[in-house]
Amino acid sequence: MPASQEPTTTPQPTGDGHRVSRKTVLRAAAALGAAPLLIGGRVALARDQPASGAVVLAPTPDCHDGDGPTVEQMEGPYFKPNSPLRDSLITSGTPGTRLTVSGYVFGRGCRPIPGVLLDFWQADDNGAYDNSGYAFRGHQFSTAQGAFSLTTIVAGLYPGRTRHLHVKLQAPGRRVVTTQLYFPGEPRNGTDTLFDSRLLMNLRQTGPGLEGTFDFVLDVPQDPTTPPTTPPPTTPPSGAWTPGRAYRAGDGVTYAGLAYRCLQAHTALAGWEPPNVPALWQRA
Protein backbone atom coordinates (compact mmCIF):
# COMPACT_ATOMS: atom_id res chain seq x y z
CA MET A 1 0.00 0.00 0.00
CA PRO A 2 1.53 3.33 -0.96
CA ALA A 3 2.35 5.86 1.70
CA SER A 4 3.38 9.48 1.51
CA GLN A 5 7.12 10.04 1.60
CA GLU A 6 7.16 13.81 1.37
CA PRO A 7 5.79 16.69 3.46
CA THR A 8 2.25 17.43 2.36
CA THR A 9 0.53 20.72 1.73
CA THR A 10 -3.17 21.45 1.40
CA PRO A 11 -4.21 22.31 -2.17
CA GLN A 12 -4.95 25.97 -2.68
CA PRO A 13 -8.28 27.16 -4.15
CA THR A 14 -6.87 28.65 -7.34
CA GLY A 15 -7.75 28.24 -11.00
CA ASP A 16 -4.53 26.33 -11.84
CA GLY A 17 -5.07 26.94 -15.54
CA HIS A 18 -8.49 25.32 -15.62
CA ARG A 19 -10.22 26.18 -18.88
CA VAL A 20 -13.75 27.41 -18.24
CA SER A 21 -16.12 27.16 -21.19
CA ARG A 22 -19.61 28.55 -21.62
CA LYS A 23 -21.00 25.04 -21.37
CA THR A 24 -19.34 24.52 -17.99
CA VAL A 25 -20.82 27.75 -16.67
CA LEU A 26 -24.31 26.80 -17.81
CA ARG A 27 -24.47 23.29 -16.40
CA ALA A 28 -25.83 24.24 -13.00
CA ALA A 29 -28.41 26.53 -14.61
CA ALA A 30 -29.79 23.56 -16.50
CA ALA A 31 -30.55 21.87 -13.20
CA LEU A 32 -31.88 24.82 -11.22
CA GLY A 33 -33.45 26.98 -13.92
CA ALA A 34 -31.23 29.96 -13.20
CA ALA A 35 -28.26 31.49 -15.00
CA PRO A 36 -25.00 31.04 -13.06
CA LEU A 37 -22.22 33.58 -12.94
CA LEU A 38 -18.52 33.61 -13.57
CA ILE A 39 -16.72 35.10 -10.59
CA GLY A 40 -12.98 35.67 -10.27
CA GLY A 41 -12.00 33.14 -12.92
CA ARG A 42 -13.93 30.22 -11.43
CA VAL A 43 -17.26 28.70 -12.28
CA ALA A 44 -19.87 30.02 -9.85
CA LEU A 45 -22.66 27.48 -9.68
CA ALA A 46 -26.24 28.60 -9.48
CA ARG A 47 -26.35 27.60 -5.82
CA ASP A 48 -23.54 30.12 -5.15
CA GLN A 49 -25.72 33.21 -5.35
CA PRO A 50 -23.40 36.20 -5.90
CA ALA A 51 -23.59 39.76 -4.72
CA SER A 52 -25.85 42.08 -6.67
CA GLY A 53 -24.39 43.79 -9.70
CA ALA A 54 -22.67 40.70 -11.16
CA VAL A 55 -23.11 40.09 -14.87
CA VAL A 56 -25.50 37.27 -15.75
CA LEU A 57 -24.74 35.16 -18.81
CA ALA A 58 -27.69 34.38 -21.06
CA PRO A 59 -28.38 30.64 -21.27
CA THR A 60 -27.85 28.78 -24.53
CA PRO A 61 -30.08 26.02 -25.94
CA ASP A 62 -27.30 23.47 -26.50
CA CYS A 63 -23.93 22.22 -25.27
CA HIS A 64 -21.85 22.34 -28.44
CA ASP A 65 -19.05 24.69 -27.48
CA GLY A 66 -16.08 22.37 -27.35
CA ASP A 67 -16.14 20.56 -24.02
CA GLY A 68 -17.86 17.24 -24.57
CA PRO A 69 -18.40 14.39 -22.13
CA THR A 70 -16.21 14.23 -19.05
CA VAL A 71 -12.73 12.91 -19.81
CA GLU A 72 -12.24 9.27 -18.88
CA GLN A 73 -9.17 7.99 -17.03
CA MET A 74 -7.73 4.68 -15.88
CA GLU A 75 -9.20 2.81 -12.94
CA GLY A 76 -5.87 2.19 -11.25
CA PRO A 77 -4.98 -0.79 -9.06
CA TYR A 78 -7.02 0.02 -5.96
CA PHE A 79 -10.68 -0.20 -7.03
CA LYS A 80 -12.85 -2.63 -5.06
CA PRO A 81 -16.46 -3.61 -5.81
CA ASN A 82 -19.15 -3.87 -3.13
CA SER A 83 -18.55 -0.41 -1.64
CA PRO A 84 -21.11 0.75 0.96
CA LEU A 85 -24.06 2.91 -0.04
CA ARG A 86 -23.17 6.25 1.64
CA ASP A 87 -22.38 9.86 0.84
CA SER A 88 -19.95 10.43 3.72
CA LEU A 89 -16.63 8.61 3.92
CA ILE A 90 -15.57 10.03 7.30
CA THR A 91 -16.45 10.14 10.98
CA SER A 92 -15.87 12.90 13.52
CA GLY A 93 -12.47 11.45 14.39
CA THR A 94 -11.15 10.91 10.86
CA PRO A 95 -7.80 12.72 10.42
CA GLY A 96 -7.28 15.03 7.46
CA THR A 97 -8.57 18.25 5.93
CA ARG A 98 -12.35 18.08 5.55
CA LEU A 99 -13.60 18.22 1.96
CA THR A 100 -17.10 18.34 0.51
CA VAL A 101 -17.44 17.67 -3.23
CA SER A 102 -20.77 18.44 -4.88
CA GLY A 103 -22.16 18.98 -8.34
CA TYR A 104 -24.45 17.59 -10.99
CA VAL A 105 -24.45 14.87 -13.62
CA PHE A 106 -25.62 16.03 -17.05
CA GLY A 107 -26.24 14.46 -20.44
CA ARG A 108 -25.32 15.83 -23.85
CA GLY A 109 -28.39 18.09 -23.83
CA CYS A 110 -27.18 19.95 -20.70
CA ARG A 111 -30.00 18.44 -18.68
CA PRO A 112 -29.54 16.60 -15.37
CA ILE A 113 -29.62 12.81 -15.21
CA PRO A 114 -31.29 11.29 -12.14
CA GLY A 115 -30.35 7.92 -10.70
CA VAL A 116 -26.72 7.91 -11.85
CA LEU A 117 -24.59 5.58 -9.73
CA LEU A 118 -21.39 7.31 -8.53
CA ASP A 119 -18.82 5.05 -6.86
CA PHE A 120 -15.97 6.97 -5.14
CA TRP A 121 -12.67 5.74 -3.71
CA GLN A 122 -9.48 7.50 -2.61
CA ALA A 123 -6.31 7.42 -0.49
CA ASP A 124 -6.43 8.39 3.17
CA ASP A 125 -4.57 11.30 4.75
CA ASN A 126 -1.31 9.30 4.64
CA GLY A 127 -1.65 8.39 0.98
CA ALA A 128 -2.74 4.78 1.61
CA TYR A 129 -5.71 2.88 0.18
CA ASP A 130 -7.73 0.49 2.33
CA ASN A 131 -7.49 -2.80 0.42
CA SER A 132 -8.76 -5.00 3.26
CA GLY A 133 -11.87 -2.98 4.14
CA TYR A 134 -13.92 -0.09 2.79
CA ALA A 135 -12.44 3.02 4.36
CA PHE A 136 -12.72 5.97 1.95
CA ARG A 137 -14.93 3.95 -0.39
CA GLY A 138 -18.64 4.47 -1.03
CA HIS A 139 -21.30 4.78 -3.68
CA GLN A 140 -24.41 6.94 -4.04
CA PHE A 141 -27.02 7.90 -6.64
CA SER A 142 -27.70 11.29 -8.18
CA THR A 143 -30.96 12.90 -7.06
CA ALA A 144 -33.99 13.67 -9.20
CA GLN A 145 -32.22 16.97 -10.01
CA GLY A 146 -29.04 15.13 -11.05
CA ALA A 147 -27.16 16.34 -7.95
CA PHE A 148 -24.60 14.52 -5.81
CA SER A 149 -22.63 15.42 -2.68
CA LEU A 150 -19.67 13.63 -1.09
CA THR A 151 -18.22 14.31 2.36
CA THR A 152 -14.61 13.17 2.73
CA ILE A 153 -11.08 14.53 3.28
CA VAL A 154 -8.39 15.85 0.95
CA ALA A 155 -6.69 12.76 -0.46
CA GLY A 156 -3.13 12.17 0.73
CA LEU A 157 -0.05 12.05 -1.48
CA TYR A 158 1.92 8.97 -2.43
CA PRO A 159 4.91 8.49 -4.74
CA GLY A 160 4.24 9.16 -8.41
CA ARG A 161 0.81 10.74 -8.10
CA THR A 162 -0.73 14.09 -7.35
CA ARG A 163 -3.79 14.36 -5.11
CA HIS A 164 -6.89 12.87 -6.72
CA LEU A 165 -10.25 11.19 -6.18
CA HIS A 166 -11.45 8.20 -8.22
CA VAL A 167 -15.02 7.80 -9.39
CA LYS A 168 -17.05 5.44 -11.56
CA LEU A 169 -20.37 6.66 -12.98
CA GLN A 170 -23.18 4.71 -14.59
CA ALA A 171 -26.34 6.33 -15.89
CA PRO A 172 -29.40 4.05 -15.93
CA GLY A 173 -29.02 1.61 -18.80
CA ARG A 174 -25.64 3.03 -19.87
CA ARG A 175 -22.04 1.88 -19.72
CA VAL A 176 -19.72 2.57 -16.78
CA VAL A 177 -17.50 5.66 -17.06
CA THR A 178 -14.31 5.80 -14.97
CA THR A 179 -12.41 9.00 -14.25
CA GLN A 180 -10.50 10.97 -11.60
CA LEU A 181 -10.90 14.42 -10.03
CA TYR A 182 -7.96 16.71 -9.27
CA PHE A 183 -7.16 19.58 -6.91
CA PRO A 184 -6.15 23.05 -8.16
CA GLY A 185 -2.96 24.57 -6.80
CA GLU A 186 -1.37 21.18 -6.13
CA PRO A 187 2.42 21.26 -6.85
CA ARG A 188 2.48 17.72 -8.24
CA ASN A 189 -0.09 18.46 -10.93
CA GLY A 190 2.76 19.44 -13.22
CA THR A 191 4.68 16.18 -12.79
CA ASP A 192 1.87 13.60 -12.66
CA THR A 193 1.62 12.05 -16.14
CA LEU A 194 -2.05 11.19 -15.59
CA PHE A 195 -3.10 14.70 -14.52
CA ASP A 196 -5.62 16.39 -16.82
CA SER A 197 -6.65 20.00 -16.15
CA ARG A 198 -10.09 19.30 -17.60
CA LEU A 199 -10.77 17.25 -14.46
CA LEU A 200 -9.89 19.98 -11.97
CA MET A 201 -12.47 20.74 -9.31
CA ASN A 202 -13.36 24.28 -8.39
CA LEU A 203 -12.12 24.70 -4.83
CA ARG A 204 -12.78 27.25 -2.10
CA GLN A 205 -12.05 27.57 1.60
CA THR A 206 -15.00 27.03 3.97
CA GLY A 207 -13.82 27.52 7.54
CA PRO A 208 -11.15 24.93 8.35
CA GLY A 209 -12.18 22.75 5.40
CA LEU A 210 -12.53 22.93 1.64
CA GLU A 211 -15.50 22.80 -0.69
CA GLY A 212 -15.05 21.39 -4.17
CA THR A 213 -17.48 21.46 -7.07
CA PHE A 214 -17.49 19.51 -10.33
CA ASP A 215 -20.20 18.75 -12.87
CA PHE A 216 -19.96 15.53 -14.85
CA VAL A 217 -21.22 15.26 -18.43
CA LEU A 218 -22.00 11.77 -19.70
CA ASP A 219 -22.41 10.76 -23.32
CA VAL A 220 -26.15 10.28 -22.91
CA PRO A 221 -28.32 11.68 -25.75
CA GLN A 222 -31.00 14.12 -24.62
CA ASP A 223 -33.71 15.99 -26.46
CA PRO A 224 -33.20 19.59 -25.26
CA THR A 225 -36.93 20.26 -25.13
CA THR A 226 -38.57 16.99 -24.14
CA PRO A 227 -38.33 15.80 -20.52
CA PRO A 228 -36.93 12.28 -20.09
CA THR A 229 -39.41 9.50 -19.61
CA THR A 230 -39.11 6.47 -17.40
CA PRO A 231 -39.36 3.18 -19.30
CA PRO A 232 -42.64 1.41 -18.50
CA PRO A 233 -42.43 -1.69 -16.33
CA THR A 234 -41.73 -4.87 -18.26
CA THR A 235 -42.80 -8.43 -17.66
CA PRO A 236 -40.36 -9.73 -15.10
CA PRO A 237 -37.97 -12.18 -16.75
CA SER A 238 -37.22 -15.50 -15.18
CA GLY A 239 -33.69 -16.32 -14.15
CA ALA A 240 -30.92 -15.25 -11.85
CA TRP A 241 -29.34 -11.81 -11.64
CA THR A 242 -26.52 -11.64 -14.20
CA PRO A 243 -23.64 -9.13 -14.38
CA GLY A 244 -23.48 -7.32 -17.71
CA ARG A 245 -27.19 -7.67 -18.41
CA ALA A 246 -29.31 -4.58 -19.08
CA TYR A 247 -32.33 -4.40 -16.76
CA ARG A 248 -35.34 -2.11 -16.99
CA ALA A 249 -37.67 -0.86 -14.28
CA GLY A 250 -40.04 -3.65 -13.33
CA ASP A 251 -37.75 -6.54 -14.30
CA GLY A 252 -37.55 -9.34 -11.79
CA VAL A 253 -34.60 -11.54 -10.87
CA THR A 254 -33.55 -14.03 -8.26
CA TYR A 255 -30.37 -13.74 -6.24
CA ALA A 256 -29.21 -16.06 -3.45
CA GLY A 257 -32.64 -17.68 -3.48
CA LEU A 258 -34.55 -14.40 -3.06
CA ALA A 259 -36.69 -12.51 -5.59
CA TYR A 260 -36.02 -8.85 -6.45
CA ARG A 261 -37.72 -6.23 -8.63
CA CYS A 262 -35.72 -3.63 -10.57
CA LEU A 263 -36.51 -0.03 -9.54
CA GLN A 264 -34.64 1.82 -12.30
CA ALA A 265 -32.99 0.91 -15.59
CA HIS A 266 -29.29 0.05 -15.41
CA THR A 267 -26.65 -2.37 -16.61
CA ALA A 268 -25.71 -4.90 -13.91
CA LEU A 269 -22.15 -4.74 -12.63
CA ALA A 270 -20.25 -7.08 -10.32
CA GLY A 271 -20.36 -5.53 -6.88
CA TRP A 272 -23.82 -4.05 -7.37
CA GLU A 273 -25.79 -7.22 -6.63
CA PRO A 274 -29.44 -6.69 -5.59
CA PRO A 275 -28.84 -6.86 -1.81
CA ASN A 276 -26.06 -4.27 -2.09
CA VAL A 277 -27.90 -1.55 -4.03
CA PRO A 278 -31.38 -0.91 -2.57
CA ALA A 279 -31.72 2.10 -4.87
CA LEU A 280 -31.73 -0.28 -7.84
CA TRP A 281 -33.44 -3.42 -6.45
CA GLN A 282 -36.32 -4.09 -4.08
CA ARG A 283 -37.23 -7.40 -2.48
CA ALA A 284 -40.27 -8.78 -4.27
Side-chain angles (χ1 to χ4, degrees):
M1 229 180 296
S4 175
Q5 297 180 351
E6 302 178 14
T8 62
T9 57
T10 301
Q12 297 302 307
T14 66
D16 203 43
H18 189 190
R19 174 182 175 273
V20 178
S21 74
R22 185 176 182 81
K23 174 182 174 184
T24 307
V25 177
L26 291 170
R27 286 174 190 162
L32 299 181
L37 303 146
L38 191 63
I39 302 176
R42 65 175 288 274
V43 178
L45 301 182
R47 58 185 177 275
D48 303 330
Q49 293 300 319
S52 59
V55 178
V56 177
L57 299 178
T60 61
D62 56 44
C63 281
H64 304 293
D65 64 352
D67 59 335
T70 298
V71 176
E72 297 186 47
Q73 291 208 317
M74 64 181 293
E75 176 182 287
Y78 301 114
F79 172 72
K80 286 180 60 176
N82 300 315
S83 69
L85 176 64
R86 59 186 179 186
D87 57 17
S88 177
L89 308 184
I90 63 174
T91 65
S92 59
T94 301
T97 301
R98 295 296 187 265
L99 170 70
T100 299
V101 181
S102 61
Y104 297 90
V105 185
F106 292 86
R108 293 301 298 270
C110 282
R111 293 174 45 245
I113 307 176
V116 175
L117 193 153
L118 300 98
D119 197 348
F120 292 95
W121 72 103
Q122 67 171 85
D124 64 16
D125 191 43
N126 294 316
Y129 287 85
D130 180 8
N131 295 319
S132 58
Y134 289 92
F136 295 104
R137 300 175 185 271
H139 72 271
Q140 61 181 274
F141 295 87
S142 62
T143 68
Q145 293 74 39
F148 72 93
S149 181
L150 176 72
T151 302
T152 183
I153 62 167
V154 173
L157 289 167
Y158 60 89
R161 292 304 315 274
T162 189
R163 300 182 196 272
H164 61 281
L165 307 178
H166 293 272
V167 59
K168 287 180 178 289
L169 303 97
Q170 185 178 33
R174 297 285 172 171
R175 70 181 183 87
V176 177
V177 172
T178 303
T179 192
Q180 302 180 37
L181 298 180
Y182 295 98
F183 295 81
E186 171 57 46
R188 288 197 192 177
N189 287 349
T191 59
D192 189 330
T193 58
L194 294 177
F195 170 75
D196 192 320
S197 63
R198 293 171 293 180
L199 297 172
L200 278 168
M201 294 180 283
N202 288 313
L203 203 64
R204 68 181 181 184
Q205 193 79 37
T206 54
L210 295 173
E211 180 181 280
T213 54
F214 191 89
D215 294 330
F216 296 98
V217 179
L218 302 182
D219 192 10
V220 175
Q222 293 176 310
D223 184 319
T225 59
T226 304
T229 58
T230 301
T234 60
T235 302
S238 59
W241 176 88
T242 305
R245 179 172 180 175
Y247 291 102
R248 294 189 295 175
D251 286 350
V253 299
T254 58
Y255 183 83
L258 299 175
Y260 292 86
R261 182 176 64 86
C262 181
L263 298 178
Q264 60 179 325
H266 69 285
T267 298
L269 183 69
W272 297 341
E273 292 83 0
N276 299 331
V277 281
L280 293 179
W281 295 99
Q282 182 182 63
R283 281 280 302 274

